[in-house]
PDB file of all heavy atoms in Angstrom:
ATOM      1  N   LEU A 712     -14.441  57.229   1.520  1.00 98.00           N
ATOM      2  CA  LEU A 712     -14.084  55.890   1.039  1.00 98.00           C
ATOM      3  C   LEU A 712     -15.328  55.008   0.932  1.00 98.00           C
ATOM      4  O   LEU A 712     -15.569  54.353  -0.094  1.00 98.00           O
ATOM      5  CB  LEU A 712     -13.074  55.245   2.005  1.00 98.00           C
ATOM      6  CG  LEU A 712     -12.778  53.765   1.741  1.00 98.00           C
ATOM      7  CD1 LEU A 712     -12.000  53.598   0.449  1.00 98.00           C
ATOM      8  CD2 LEU A 712     -11.994  53.143   2.898  1.00 98.00           C
ATOM      9  N   LEU A 713     -16.140  55.019   1.982  1.00 98.00           N
ATOM     10  CA  LEU A 713     -17.342  54.170   1.967  1.00 98.00           C
ATOM     11  C   LEU A 713     -18.279  54.568   0.837  1.00 98.00           C
ATOM     12  O   LEU A 713     -18.838  53.716   0.151  1.00 98.00           O
ATOM     13  CB  LEU A 713     -18.080  54.300   3.302  1.00 98.00           C
ATOM     14  CG  LEU A 713     -17.683  53.303   4.382  1.00 98.00           C
ATOM     15  CD1 LEU A 713     -18.334  53.678   5.697  1.00 98.00           C
ATOM     16  CD2 LEU A 713     -18.068  51.882   4.001  1.00 98.00           C
ATOM     17  N   ARG A 714     -18.428  55.872   0.655  1.00 98.00           N
ATOM     18  CA  ARG A 714     -19.356  56.320  -0.395  1.00 98.00           C
ATOM     19  C   ARG A 714     -18.853  55.901  -1.769  1.00 98.00           C
ATOM     20  O   ARG A 714     -19.617  55.421  -2.596  1.00 98.00           O
ATOM     21  CB  ARG A 714     -19.569  57.836  -0.300  1.00 98.00           C
ATOM     22  CG  ARG A 714     -20.597  58.167   0.806  1.00 98.00           C
ATOM     23  CD  ARG A 714     -20.946  59.631   0.856  1.00 98.00           C
ATOM     24  NE  ARG A 714     -19.944  60.361   1.622  1.00 98.00           N
ATOM     25  CZ  ARG A 714     -19.211  61.355   1.165  1.00 98.00           C
ATOM     26  NH1 ARG A 714     -19.346  61.765  -0.061  1.00 98.00           N
ATOM     27  NH2 ARG A 714     -18.324  61.954   1.939  1.00 98.00           N
ATOM     28  N   SER A 715     -17.544  55.999  -1.942  1.00 98.00           N
ATOM     29  CA  SER A 715     -17.003  55.603  -3.255  1.00 98.00           C
ATOM     30  C   SER A 715     -17.122  54.082  -3.440  1.00 98.00           C
ATOM     31  O   SER A 715     -17.457  53.597  -4.522  1.00 98.00           O
ATOM     32  CB  SER A 715     -15.552  56.095  -3.369  1.00 98.00           C
ATOM     33  OG  SER A 715     -14.687  55.068  -3.709  1.00 98.00           O
ATOM     34  N   MET A 716     -16.880  53.338  -2.375  1.00 98.00           N
ATOM     35  CA  MET A 716     -17.019  51.871  -2.486  1.00 98.00           C
ATOM     36  C   MET A 716     -18.471  51.487  -2.785  1.00 98.00           C
ATOM     37  O   MET A 716     -18.748  50.564  -3.554  1.00 98.00           O
ATOM     38  CB  MET A 716     -16.551  51.196  -1.189  1.00 98.00           C
ATOM     39  CG  MET A 716     -15.043  51.212  -1.024  1.00 98.00           C
ATOM     40  SD  MET A 716     -14.525  50.622   0.601  1.00 98.00           S
ATOM     41  CE  MET A 716     -15.030  48.934   0.553  1.00 98.00           C
ATOM     42  N   ALA A 717     -19.407  52.215  -2.138  1.00 98.00           N
ATOM     43  CA  ALA A 717     -20.829  51.913  -2.353  1.00 98.00           C
ATOM     44  C   ALA A 717     -21.201  52.153  -3.814  1.00 98.00           C
ATOM     45  O   ALA A 717     -21.916  51.366  -4.428  1.00 98.00           O
ATOM     46  CB  ALA A 717     -21.684  52.774  -1.425  1.00 98.00           C
ATOM     47  N   ARG A 718     -20.692  53.255  -4.354  1.00 98.00           N
ATOM     48  CA  ARG A 718     -20.994  53.567  -5.762  1.00 98.00           C
ATOM     49  C   ARG A 718     -20.489  52.468  -6.678  1.00 98.00           C
ATOM     50  O   ARG A 718     -21.158  52.054  -7.619  1.00 98.00           O
ATOM     51  CB  ARG A 718     -20.343  54.894  -6.144  1.00 98.00           C
ATOM     52  CG  ARG A 718     -21.248  56.104  -5.991  1.00 98.00           C
ATOM     53  CD  ARG A 718     -20.707  57.307  -6.737  1.00 98.00           C
ATOM     54  NE  ARG A 718     -19.296  57.565  -6.486  1.00 98.00           N
ATOM     55  CZ  ARG A 718     -18.819  58.238  -5.431  1.00 98.00           C
ATOM     56  NH1 ARG A 718     -19.658  58.715  -4.521  1.00 98.00           N
ATOM     57  NH2 ARG A 718     -17.531  58.440  -5.282  1.00 98.00           N
ATOM     58  N   LYS A 719     -19.291  51.966  -6.388  1.00 98.00           N
ATOM     59  CA  LYS A 719     -18.688  50.964  -7.283  1.00 98.00           C
ATOM     60  C   LYS A 719     -19.093  49.541  -6.910  1.00 98.00           C
ATOM     61  O   LYS A 719     -18.645  48.586  -7.537  1.00 98.00           O
ATOM     62  CB  LYS A 719     -17.163  51.088  -7.202  1.00 98.00           C
ATOM     63  CG  LYS A 719     -16.646  52.415  -7.707  1.00 98.00           C
ATOM     64  CD  LYS A 719     -15.126  52.405  -7.657  1.00 98.00           C
ATOM     65  CE  LYS A 719     -14.572  53.806  -7.676  1.00 98.00           C
ATOM     66  NZ  LYS A 719     -13.300  53.929  -6.979  1.00 98.00           N
ATOM     67  N   GLY A 720     -19.869  49.396  -5.872  1.00 97.00           N
ATOM     68  CA  GLY A 720     -20.274  48.054  -5.443  1.00 97.00           C
ATOM     69  C   GLY A 720     -19.102  47.247  -4.891  1.00 97.00           C
ATOM     70  O   GLY A 720     -19.064  46.025  -5.014  1.00 97.00           O
ATOM     71  N   GLU A 721     -18.138  47.924  -4.253  1.00 98.00           N
ATOM     72  CA  GLU A 721     -16.953  47.213  -3.745  1.00 98.00           C
ATOM     73  C   GLU A 721     -17.129  46.755  -2.298  1.00 98.00           C
ATOM     74  O   GLU A 721     -17.920  47.319  -1.554  1.00 98.00           O
ATOM     75  CB  GLU A 721     -15.739  48.146  -3.806  1.00 98.00           C
ATOM     76  CG  GLU A 721     -15.243  48.393  -5.207  1.00 98.00           C
ATOM     77  CD  GLU A 721     -14.116  49.428  -5.241  1.00 98.00           C
ATOM     78  OE1 GLU A 721     -14.017  50.247  -4.301  1.00 98.00           O
ATOM     79  OE2 GLU A 721     -13.361  49.411  -6.210  1.00 98.00           O
ATOM     80  N   THR A 722     -16.339  45.742  -1.942  1.00 97.00           N
ATOM     81  CA  THR A 722     -16.290  45.301  -0.549  1.00 97.00           C
ATOM     82  C   THR A 722     -14.870  45.568  -0.027  1.00 97.00           C
ATOM     83  O   THR A 722     -13.954  45.764  -0.824  1.00 97.00           O
ATOM     84  CB  THR A 722     -16.548  43.787  -0.432  1.00 97.00           C
ATOM     85  OG1 THR A 722     -15.519  43.115  -1.182  1.00 97.00           O
ATOM     86  CG2 THR A 722     -17.917  43.396  -0.950  1.00 97.00           C
ATOM     87  N   PHE A 723     -14.733  45.541   1.299  1.00 98.00           N
ATOM     88  CA  PHE A 723     -13.386  45.751   1.855  1.00 98.00           C
ATOM     89  C   PHE A 723     -12.449  44.617   1.457  1.00 98.00           C
ATOM     90  O   PHE A 723     -11.304  44.846   1.097  1.00 98.00           O
ATOM     91  CB  PHE A 723     -13.456  45.878   3.385  1.00 98.00           C
ATOM     92  CG  PHE A 723     -13.872  47.247   3.815  1.00 98.00           C
ATOM     93  CD1 PHE A 723     -15.191  47.524   4.148  1.00 98.00           C
ATOM     94  CD2 PHE A 723     -12.950  48.277   3.845  1.00 98.00           C
ATOM     95  CE1 PHE A 723     -15.576  48.787   4.522  1.00 98.00           C
ATOM     96  CE2 PHE A 723     -13.325  49.559   4.214  1.00 98.00           C
ATOM     97  CZ  PHE A 723     -14.649  49.814   4.559  1.00 98.00           C
ATOM     98  N   TYR A 724     -12.951  43.382   1.553  1.00 97.00           N
ATOM     99  CA  TYR A 724     -12.069  42.258   1.250  1.00 97.00           C
ATOM    100  C   TYR A 724     -11.841  42.098  -0.253  1.00 97.00           C
ATOM    101  O   TYR A 724     -10.942  41.385  -0.671  1.00 97.00           O
ATOM    102  CB  TYR A 724     -12.595  40.964   1.886  1.00 97.00           C
ATOM    103  CG  TYR A 724     -12.230  40.885   3.347  1.00 97.00           C
ATOM    104  CD1 TYR A 724     -12.995  41.553   4.307  1.00 97.00           C
ATOM    105  CD2 TYR A 724     -11.093  40.205   3.775  1.00 97.00           C
ATOM    106  CE1 TYR A 724     -12.657  41.527   5.643  1.00 97.00           C
ATOM    107  CE2 TYR A 724     -10.732  40.174   5.113  1.00 97.00           C
ATOM    108  CZ  TYR A 724     -11.523  40.838   6.053  1.00 97.00           C
ATOM    109  OH  TYR A 724     -11.170  40.808   7.375  1.00 97.00           O
ATOM    110  N   GLY A 725     -12.681  42.762  -1.069  1.00 96.00           N
ATOM    111  CA  GLY A 725     -12.430  42.764  -2.505  1.00 96.00           C
ATOM    112  C   GLY A 725     -11.444  43.859  -2.861  1.00 96.00           C
ATOM    113  O   GLY A 725     -10.396  43.621  -3.438  1.00 96.00           O
TER     114      GLY A 725
END
Side-chain angles (χ1 to χ4, degrees):
L712 171 69
L713 269 172
R714 280 186 277 121
S715 127
M716 286 172 65
R718 266 196 312 277
K719 296 183 200 151
E721 288 175 337
T722 60
F723 280 98
Y724 280 82

